Every structure is written in C-alpha cells, then in structure tokens.
Amino acid sequence: MRSGPPLLQPGLIALAIACFCFFAMLTGRVAPTATPFLACWLIGGFIVQFCVGLIELREKNLTGGNVFLFFSAFFMLTTALKYIVAAFLHPNFEGHIDHRVDGWAWLVLALALLLWTPAYLKRAPKPLALLVLFLDVAVPMVALRDLEVVPKSIANPLAGWTLLAGGILGIYVATAIINNGAFGRKVLPMPGPFLK
C-alpha cells in the first residue's frame, strides 16, 4: 500500500457513508422506509468507488482496485437498485418476493472478501486491514440472515455494529492519508501491515 498520491480517500469516505447508513438500517435507528434515500447515497458511492477502483488498477494496486470495483458494483449499485425496485413494488409484491436470492449473492461476496483478506493483511496498513476484518464479519452475517440461517435478531446487530466500526476506520484511514500527505509527516499513525 503506497502513501503517494491520494486516491483511496474518496472511496473510503463512500464506504464509510454506506457503512454508517447500513448500521442505522440494521440496528433500527431509521425506518425501512428510508431505503429510497439510502439508494441515492449508494448510487453516489458507486460512482466514486468505481472511479477509485479504475484509478487504483491503473496504478497497479490490484488489491485496492479490485476491492473498490467489487464494492462499487455489488455493495453500492446493486443494493441501491434493489432498494429502488423494492420501493416501487412494495405495495403489491413484497410478500411474494423471495429475498433468499440476496443471501446467495451476498454469500459470494462474503467468500470473496474472506479469501481476499490475506492480501490486505500482507499489503495494507493495519487500520485498513482492520476495516476489512470488520467487513469479514458484517458481510457473512448479511448473507446468512438473508439465507435464513441466522435470525435477524442476531445477524442485524452484529452486522450493523461491525459496519459502523469499519466505517469509522474508513474515515480514519482517509483522514490519515490526507493529513499525513499535507504535512509531509505522520500526523496520524498508519502502522504497517499485520503480515511481513
């Protein structure tokens, strides 16, 4: 993970917005009727993360670039579209939609993220790797909830709080990159990777 030109920050802030909003949804701090507005924020996050992913890949950062593209497409855009469709169909179709298909899709996302985690433990600064570790809890919980393997009463709070922690770390990493770059020194610590 380089400390050169600031590219990750917008993508990390978009991720933090999604994590905070999902935390609010999963822990009941906002009503389910907020999903159309959340969809708008997720579409904005999709645009930012997609651009960051392409730039990261162009800069030969395969780990960051692939994860940002992965999150932009599925964490952001697909979820936004799902919320928009559900808002339009809700009065007539909500009881007839089999939401378990979401669980199968989220299961793929969870497995990919878990299998890609060693790359973050090897290359990313510790705060960014910790963010990924929190997502390693949240994403499988969403998948298992949607597959009806883990009850919502367990999965939602666990996913919500780990997403909030991940969002806070995203803000921290973005802030450290911005301030450390501006001052030309470590204003905020960004310790090296967990694995050497």
Side-chain angles (χ1 to χ4, degrees):
M1 184 69 52
R2 60 174 157 39
S3 60
L7 300 174
L8 296 175
Q9 301 88 314
L12 290 170
I13 295 302
L15 177 64
I17 289 170
C19 287
F20 274 56
C21 290
F22 287 137
F23 162 77
M25 294 290 296
L26 291 166
T27 60
R29 282 163 172 75
V30 297
T33 54
T35 55
F37 292 116
L38 175 54
C40 296
W41 284 99
L42 293 175
I43 290 170
F46 157 74
I47 294 166
V48 170
Q49 287 196 335
F50 183 77
C51 293
V52 170
L54 291 179
I55 292 168
E56 288 294 310
L57 288 175
R58 189 174 186 189
E59 295 289 319
K60 306 288 190 246
N61 181 2
L62 297 179
T63 305
N66 282 306
V67 169
F68 274 114
L69 288 180
F70 166 104
F71 272 80
S72 72
F74 303 115
F75 200 65
M76 299 287 191
L77 184 60
T78 302
T79 303
L81 293 173
K82 176 192 153 191
Y83 286 155
I84 291 168
V85 168
F88 282 111
L89 298 180
H90 179 74
N92 300 318
F93 293 96
E94 184 61 30
H96 304 289
I97 297 172
D98 189 347
H99 292 279
R100 291 176 297 176
V101 72
D102 287 336
W104 289 103
W106 279 95
L107 185 59
V108 173
L109 301 177
L111 291 171
L113 189 59
L114 288 166
L115 293 170
W116 293 1
T117 296
Y120 270 90
L121 296 175
K122 175 74 174 158
R123 299 208 46 217
K126 285 184 176 99
L128 187 55
L130 282 173
L131 184 160
V132 172
L133 290 172
F134 280 120
L135 295 178
D136 282 344
V137 175
V139 175
M141 279 297 104
V142 171
L144 294 173
R145 178 206 63 195
D146 289 350
L147 287 169
E148 299 176 357
V149 173
V150 176
K152 287 182 181 181
S153 61
I154 295 170
N156 284 357
L158 187 54
W161 285 101
T162 53
L163 283 167
L164 180 64
I168 291 168
L169 284 167
I171 294 168
Y172 177 84
V173 172
T175 302
I177 293 170
I178 289 280
N179 287 312
N180 293 353
F183 287 92
R185 62 184 171 82
K186 285 190 178 181
V187 176
L188 293 171
M190 282 289 283
F194 282 106
L195 302 177
K196 300 292 180 195

